Amino acid sequence: MTQPLPHDDAKHDGSKRHSLECMLWAGTGLLWTVVGGVPRSALIGSAQAQTPGGGFSFAQVSDSHLGFSTPLYSDVAATTAEAIAQLKSGPAPSLVLHTGDVTHLSRPAEFDAAQQIFGTSGLEIHYVPGEHDVIDDDGKGFYERFGRGAGPAGWYSFDAGGVHFIGLNNVMNLRAGGLGQLGAEQLRFLEQDLRDRSASLPIVLFAHIPLWTVHAPWGWGTQDAEQALGLLARFGSVTILNGHIHQIIQKVEGQIAFHTARSTAFPQPAPGSTPSPGPVRDLPAGRLHSVLGVTRISRVEGRAPLAIIDTPLGA
Amino acid sequence: MTAKPWCRRSLIAGWGIVLAFSAKRTEAATATIVIDDYLFMPAELRVSIGTTVVWENRDSSPHNVLSVADPRVFRSRAMATGERFEFTFAAPGTYGYFCGLHPHMQGFVVVE
């Protein structure tokens, strides 16, 4: 299907269509520029590396896994708190999306730690669950604490800064050998939620497991994502933010930009690069802060509309 | 209290039978599946009826064990590192299972 490119569309008819045009990957000194769906990378120049200012901005935090501990990743509460402090140290985002695996084992003490770090941050945080948040109780503990604004099954939508946000839950009832799944009921919700909205409205959809198949043998994908993407196809600007894989991977398909965030706890290997997706075991000493981090997203009225900037906790 | 000689002999013989029986039962009736590095090892396990299978999580990541049958025949809670789950198979059959947290992890137990 061929659709007019969003920036061309805006140029020609002055509509409010927006697309992802600029991604900065500050952690490795790479600047990703995406124009018309073609990503290009270049070394960051000082002018280019500036955060777009003056627009609505929000941030993404993911996979804090509070409760996890190994000798290599011994204090995930500290690195997560550091990520939150880093967010607060810059221009304050209007809101924060947490894309799941807030905790490691859904245990009360872990939820308490999460409330201590996120709940006292003063930031407006919207959550979706990861599979680690719904262990053994089908998410009851998670929804009690972090289900604000969500329906009983964990999905919801809201508007902020001229952007329509949709939080989805693709971590329930996972099947043997399968990927994440949304399910028929949630797809109906999505259809109804989008039905009467203008195609020029920027959409940000966030869920834990990637909504595109990053690596099926490890379950890194969502089996019925295609149906969801079909419902989003008519919109001029769609940004999909996921977690789960603890690394940045991005893709642009038509007018849909996909992006996965780093974890604030531990990194996972590149898809298929090791026998298993377990935490990276051979991380060189002193490199931890370069593989953890947060994501900032800005919408700038009238020009490069949505910019995604990933910031590591350190070099 | 001192037991009479014939009594002691009976007791010793009795314990011997019990111990022999226990040893045989333990050897035949327990099998272990180790979970490590996102794998069930062995992924295929053959046991006789009445065997208790123990899943032991030695991975740094948590895992659980869910039978694929509907309704489920067994379902563990999430096991942190070092935790275990056991289930005794009373009926013959092939029991597929997987990790509900990482569904690509699969295995099965054949009970004969």
Side-chain angles (χ1 to χ4, degrees):
Chain A
M1 188 174 72
T2 305
Q3 292 193 353
L5 298 174
H7 61 288
D8 289 337
D9 189 67
K11 194 189 302 173
H12 294 312
D13 69 14
S15 83
K16 287 185 178 175
R17 286 196 171 189
H18 297 280
S19 78
L20 185 75
E21 282 199 349
C22 177
M23 293 179 180
L24 301 177
W25 189 356
T28 57
L30 282 180
L31 168 73
W32 282 92
T33 308
V34 181
V35 179
V38 182
R40 290 180 300 216
S41 63
L43 287 174
I44 286 179
S46 58
Q48 292 170 308
Q50 293 298 313
T51 304
F56 170 74
S57 77
F58 61 97
Q60 179 188 9
V61 172
S62 201
D63 294 271
S64 39
H65 282 266
L66 294 165
F68 178 78
S69 181
T70 65
L72 198 51
Y73 309 106
S74 59
D75 198 346
V76 301
T79 49
T80 298
E82 205 174 323
I84 293 296
Q86 186 187 70
L87 275 182
K88 293 175 71 175
S89 70
S94 298
L95 59 90
V96 178
L97 307 175
H98 194 308
T99 43
D101 283 357
V102 174
T103 66
H104 196 54
L105 285 167
S106 309
R107 293 184 174 164
E110 298 173 350
F111 285 125
D112 290 347
Q115 278 186 315
Q116 186 64 34
I117 294 171
F118 300 119
T120 60
S121 67
L123 296 166
E124 177 185 328
I125 306 180
H126 301 261
Y127 303 84
V128 286
E131 74 280 1
H132 285 253
D133 298 317
V134 297
I135 296 172
D136 298 332
D137 71 347
D138 287 332
K140 189 168 174 286
F142 177 84
Y143 297 133
E144 278 173 5
R145 291 171 165 87
F146 304 113
R148 182 175 57 90
W155 53 74
Y156 60 107
S157 69
F158 62 95
D159 294 283
V163 174
H164 185 59
F165 290 87
I166 305 169
L168 297 184
N169 177 359
N170 57 359
V171 300
M172 306 303 290
N173 304 315
L174 303 183
R175 292 177 193 157
L179 307 173
Q181 61 177 348
L182 296 163
E185 194 185 344
Q186 188 163 204
L187 287 166
R188 274 196 297 280
F189 157 79
L190 184 62
E191 183 180 10
Q192 286 165 7
D193 185 78
L194 294 171
R195 184 177 294 156
D196 298 324
R197 299 193 191 278
S198 163
S200 65
L201 184 66
I203 305 284
V204 171
L205 192 154
F206 59 109
H208 180 66
I209 298 176
L211 284 165
W212 49 296
T213 303
V214 175
H215 192 57
W218 287 357
W220 287 3
T222 301
Q223 62 190 36
D224 48 3
E226 200 169 328
Q227 291 162 261
L229 301 181
L231 296 169
L232 294 159
R234 70 183 176 87
F235 290 87
S237 167
V238 179
T239 305
I240 295 182
L241 302 175
N242 301 121
H244 188 57
I245 66 172
H246 298 214
Q247 62 195 289
I248 297 167
I249 293 185
Q250 47 203 15
K251 180 178 89 151
V252 175
E253 200 171 283
Q255 300 183 166
I256 300 180
F258 299 84
H259 184 94
T260 60
R262 288 188 177 102
S263 161
T264 62
F266 60 89
Q268 284 179 275
S273 65
T274 56
S276 90
V280 171
R281 293 179 176 187
D282 54 356
L283 189 72
R287 294 290 295 157
L288 179 62
H289 282 68
S290 69
V291 294
L292 309 178
V294 298
T295 304
R296 286 173 181 268
I297 303 98
S298 299
R299 176 182 179 229
V300 182
E301 201 75 54
R303 63 182 188 88
L306 283 180
I308 296 180
I309 302 165
D310 290 293
T311 311
L313 294 182
Chain B
M1 192 180 79
T2 308
K4 291 181 179 174
W6 64 268
C7 242
R8 278 205 298 271
R9 279 198 299 274
S10 296
L11 279 171
I12 290 163
W15 277 113
I17 290 165
V18 169
L19 287 172
F21 183 69
S22 298
K24 193 176 177 187
R25 288 272 302 168
T26 304
E27 190 182 333
T30 303
T32 300
I33 296 171
V34 171
I35 307 172
D36 199 3
D37 204 17
Y38 288 66
L39 288 172
F40 292 112
M41 296 176 287
E44 175 188 346
L45 177 68
R46 290 180 178 271
V47 297
S48 54
I49 294 172
T51 301
T52 296
V53 174
V54 179
W55 283 265
E56 181 183 334
N57 185 16
R58 295 184 191 166
D59 205 347
S60 64
S61 295
H63 300 288
N64 62 11
V65 176
L66 310 180
S67 82
V68 296
D70 183 17
R72 295 196 199 286
V73 179
F74 50 89
R75 174 184 186 139
S76 79
R77 295 181 68 80
M79 291 173 275
T81 307
E83 292 183 341
R84 297 167 156 228
F85 167 70
E86 63 179 52
F87 182 80
T88 302
F89 289 88
T94 298
Y95 298 84
Y97 65 90
F98 68 110
C99 170
L101 289 167
H102 313 100
H104 69 283
M105 294 172 57
Q106 299 178 78
F108 59 94
V109 176
V110 179
V111 182
E112 299 164 318

